[in-house]
Amino acid sequence: GWDTDCNAGNVGTILGVAQGLAGIPEHYRTPINDAIVLSGISGFLNILDIPTYARELAILAYRLADEPAPQALLDAFRPGEVCFDFELPGSTHNFRVSDPFFCRVRHATDRAYAGEGSLEVLFDRMQRGDTCRIYYKPFYRRADFSDERYSPVFSPTAYPGQTVSMWVLAERWNGESIFLAPYVRNTATMEIVPLSGQVVSDGAWREIRFTIPDLGGAMVDEVGLMLEGNSPVKNRDLGRLLIDEFRIFGKADYAISIAKQAKEFGTVTPFSMDHGAWSIENGKLAAMCVDGCDAMTGNFFMKDQRVSVPMMPLNGASHLVTLRVQGARRAYLAGFTSPGKASILLKDAGEIHALATADFHWQHGMAYDFAFSATGDALELSINGHPVLDATDGRLGYGMCGVAMLEMGRALYGDFRIQEI
């Protein structure tokens, strides 16, 4: 199940197409739990779940066939958002539990907030103080894998500043009440960050909504609910929790503290790197390359955005911050492009086009605060708080952000600030 360029993977694909879900035994589906992990260059796109991906492929198929996709299908897939409705047969959207002794997830069709499906979490034999986390995983680390043959890279699918929303209902078959608290996990410290919780004793649908808090430059690797038993040992909690219409959406506003990142899979979290040697040196992101390199992060579908980062060029003439990065061959770049010059550039299909250039006296070994923004078709570069260049171009409407060099060079980068405008 790890790979499809093998006989087992190909046979599974053929049987799946020929027989549908009915032809795939439950003991194969359950361990996979709707999870897909890719190892492409854009880290945001590498974190998937089967129902969401199936819908995306169906929409692409309609587009290739030049046919309109059903509106219900379009409504259920929102690029750049986490949108789980649990409507497809057997879907769990890769939701997990921290303690399978107390809790177990499965798909339910007998009760839902909207539509016909929901996620069912069975909880059993819990008493006051017993806890289990029920969560979506928006970011992976090296410890989540048994090997690194494919060297995957990841950028989170959830960020501080975004809104998390879900509808929940508790059916209790024994016990007095349970306690539910939304939470996120700090992947740098593995600290659980609980938010405002509530005692639940009735069986009514209720919305839980919260904003992902700032984590001081660390990333989020769990988003979900902490379920805690709230009954005495003589009357243990038994029942089920239903979750429906789980969403993560809205504009992100967060920092990346380099000192809180790690070197994993040959890259530095939470960046994807293309060429070059990248490391962490004294709390700075260090890059060295012989023929150009890129580091990219963030939501692949960010539109209007601003990235700020202190940069110290150490060698070479190309030192750039990037926006609307769509892989290795398409991006807007801004910064130092030659001695005494600063430019805003477009990289399109690997070709570099200058959009604006100005004189700017810069030196190796000096630190510069770069801020590059894209709002609609307007691009603007500021250095040390002063506007330096602006340009207008509409060829790239969305993408990730990061830093780059187009030729041999060496540089240090401080903490990043990334804002969706």
Side-chain angles (χ1 to χ4, degrees), residues 97 103-105 119-123 134 239-243:
V97 296
C103 296
R104 183 166 68 95
V105 298
L119 182 75
E120 178 185 80
V121 183
L122 298 171
F123 57 89
I134 305 153
R240 67 175 184 167
L241 180 72
L242 298 177
I243 301 174

Side-chain angles (χ1 to χ4, degrees), residues 273-322:
M273 272 90 176
D274 182 41
H275 291 86
W278 299 83
S279 61
I280 299 174
E281 296 181 7
N282 300 318
K284 300 288 192 297
L285 178 65
M288 180 171 58
C289 63
V290 295
D291 58 357
C293 60
D294 296 86
M296 63 198 80
T297 191
N299 190 318
F300 188 85
F301 297 97
M302 282 191 296
K303 294 179 180 177
D304 294 347
Q305 55 186 276
R306 176 185 175 91
V307 59
S308 306
V309 59
M311 179 187 301
M312 180 182 289
L314 300 176
N315 184 268
S318 177
H319 300 280
L320 304 156
V321 62
T322 59

Side-chain angles (χ1 to χ4, degrees), residues 410-421:
R410 189 161 59 95
L412 295 174
Y413 310 94
D415 294 346
F416 288 67
R417 186 81 203 179
I418 297 168
Q419 301 165 289
E420 290 190 72
I421 303 169

Side-chain angles (χ1 to χ4, degrees), residues 143-158:
D144 295 313
F145 299 89
S146 58
D147 63 57
E148 49 188 275
R149 284 174 292 173
Y150 295 96
S151 296
V153 290
F154 303 105
S155 296
T157 56

Side-chain angles (χ1 to χ4, degrees), residues 24 30 38-39 44 81 85 103 127 146 148 155 170 181 188 195 223 234-235 265 287 299 327 365 367 380 384 388:
I24 303 175
T30 298
L38 303 184
S39 57
F44 180 90
E81 295 185 11
D85 61 7
C103 296
Q127 64 185 51
S146 58
E148 49 188 275
S155 296
L195 303 168
V223 177
K234 64 180 180 181
N235 194 23
F265 290 124
N299 190 318
E380 182 176 313
N384 296 336
V388 172

Side-chain angles (χ1 to χ4, degrees), residues 108-132:
T109 57
D110 63 315
R111 197 166 185 181
Y113 174 75
E116 298 180 353
S118 62
L119 182 75
E120 178 185 80
V121 183
L122 298 171
F123 57 89
D124 188 14
R125 293 168 287 180
M126 299 184 74
Q127 64 185 51
R128 190 169 294 130
D130 290 336
T131 62
C132 182

